[in-house]
């Protein structure tokens, strides 16, 4: 797969093996320090600062479902973490705080790291302490966490720690979220080949694969349920155990964190396009992704690597079909994304995407303009007699 140039290097000052996002057994997560190196590669790939003149995610509530979020890390703005019943502003495991930082950590002069949607508010919900040996949580408890997020009117629900099994309650919670117009984002985090995580594999959920700085998929889970891919290896983000400071953990490799990047971009899209339903946001994210080399669906990359700028700024028909949908009748214009190799975000023309419907509309406009100019010059079509 050809990939944006920013994927060629990791961009981290520390040269060491990636570490897990999970705290060691019997210990709580602690920071690596305050990150002051080059802008992290995942952040450069998504490039949220390019979108902040358009949207910072203001007015959006992103629920972070997992292990809680450490409210003492001061890279979260005062009041950015919502409180109330069902929320948890402590995080021994650490994964919830890392995911929340990727979504919404504030730009700060002490660090080059910042979240994707710093204008969004975060709803920290703990449904697991992270002690399960498979890294997942109880599906019934996760279903309750989704319901809590919906009761608080979250527009984006990030499953920072998916469950390793499904349940009727979990499927029902996802169905409710979809009916209420929320976007549910969950990572492909199963650790055994052939296994699936939930609600990642549930219909209506945006399932996210993970890539490393070389653009290679890093997660074990694969299948036709994968929607898009995003950075999930050698990352930087906010750390639990900050103790009232700006503190980070790096380099972190965890497939679950790719979903945090997608959730942050979903918040930007919802803020910039408030008229869109949840399913339409998912369609926009998948249609505008950088396609795999095959041009089609990849079992580990989905429809391609996330393209934040195109997702927010592209002009798409309101009811454009998602990738892989059944063909529209011949009487209707087909709207299909171009099967092109990935390219740097800077090369993507603002507000455009290669869609057949848009091309047809442009061609029609050119033809109309040409006829009007010809008529002003008293041109008449010749009559052809066979």
């Amino acid at each position: 797969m050809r990939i944006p140039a920013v994927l060629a290097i990791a961009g981290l000052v520390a040269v060491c093996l990636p570490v897990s996002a999970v705290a060691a057994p019997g210990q709580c997560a602690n920071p690596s320090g305050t990150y002051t190196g080059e802008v992290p590669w995942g952040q450069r790939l998504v490039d949220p600062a390019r979108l902040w003149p358009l949207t910072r995610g203001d007015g959006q509530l992103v629920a972070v479902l997992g292990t809680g979020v450490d409210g003492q890390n001061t890279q979260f703005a005062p009041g950015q973490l919502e409180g109330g019943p069902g929320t948890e502003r402590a995080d021994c495991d650490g994964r919830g705080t890392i995911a929340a930082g990727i979504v919404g950590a504030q730009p700060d002069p002490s660090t080059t790291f910042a979240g994707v949607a710093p204008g969004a508010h975060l709803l920290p919900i703990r449904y697991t302490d992270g002690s399960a040996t498979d890294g997942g949580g109880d599906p019934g408890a996760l279903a309750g966490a989704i319901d809590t997020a919906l009761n608080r009117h979250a527009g984006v629900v990030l499953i920072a720690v998916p469950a390793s099994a499904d349940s009727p309650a979990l499927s029902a919670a996802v169905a409710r979220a979809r009916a209420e117009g929320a976007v549910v984002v969950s990572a492909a985090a199963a650790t055994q080949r052939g296994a699936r995580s939930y609600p990642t594999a549930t219909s209506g959920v945006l399932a996210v694969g993970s890539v490393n700085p070389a653009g290679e998929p890093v997660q074990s889970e694969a299948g036709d349920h994968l929607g898009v891919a995003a950075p999930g290896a050698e990352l930087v983000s906010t750390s639990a155990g900050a103790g009232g400071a700006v503190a980070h953990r790096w380099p972190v490799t965890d497939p679950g964190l790719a979903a945090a990047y997608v959730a942050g971009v979903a918040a930007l899209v919802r803020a910039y396009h408030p008229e869109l339903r949840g399913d339409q946001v998912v369609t926009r994210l998948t249609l505008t992704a950088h396609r795999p080399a095959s041009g089609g669906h990849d079992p580990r990359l989905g429809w391609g690597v996330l393209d934040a700028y195109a997702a927010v700024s592209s002009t798409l028909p309101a009811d454009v079909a998602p990738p892989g949908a059944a063909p529209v009748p011949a009487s209707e214009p087909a709207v299909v994304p171009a099967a092109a190799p990935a390219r740097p975000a800077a090369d993507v023309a603002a507000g455009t995407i290669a869609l057949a419907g848009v091309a047809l509309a442009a061609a029609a406009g050119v033809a109309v303009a040409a006829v009007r100019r010809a008529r002003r010059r008293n041109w008449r079509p010749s009559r052809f007699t066979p």
Side-chain angles (χ1 to χ4, degrees), residues 37-206:
E38 185 179 1
V39 175
W41 79 268
Q43 189 174 324
R44 298 204 313 278
L45 175 66
V46 177
D47 199 9
R50 188 182 179 200
L51 284 163
W52 290 342
L54 300 177
T55 171
R56 293 168 58 90
D58 294 275
Q60 299 304 304
L61 179 61
V62 180
V64 182
L65 277 53
T67 60
V69 176
D70 184 357
Q72 294 190 54
N73 191 309
T74 55
Q75 204 168 353
F76 298 114
Q80 186 180 16
L81 296 180
E82 299 277 340
T87 62
E88 181 56 68
R89 297 181 55 163
D91 179 18
C92 179
D93 176 90
R95 282 177 286 179
T97 304
I98 295 171
I102 289 172
V103 174
Q106 301 298 305
D108 188 280
S110 67
T111 180
T112 53
F113 168 76
V116 174
H121 276 223
L122 306 172
L123 185 68
I125 299 176
R126 178 193 290 169
Y127 88 95
T128 177
D129 61 7
S131 61
T133 56
D134 59 4
D138 176 71
L142 179 52
I146 293 174
D147 284 332
T148 298
L150 297 176
N151 292 341
R152 296 291 298 272
H153 307 292
V156 178
V157 179
L158 166 61
I159 313 299
V161 183
S164 56
D166 199 5
S167 73
L170 183 54
S171 295
V174 169
R176 176 191 170 191
R178 191 173 186 183
E180 295 184 8
V183 178
V184 181
V185 183
S186 186
T191 57
Q192 300 296 321
R193 293 196 180 277
R196 294 188 172 188
S197 48
Y198 293 89
T200 312
T202 304
S203 177
V205 173
L206 181 52

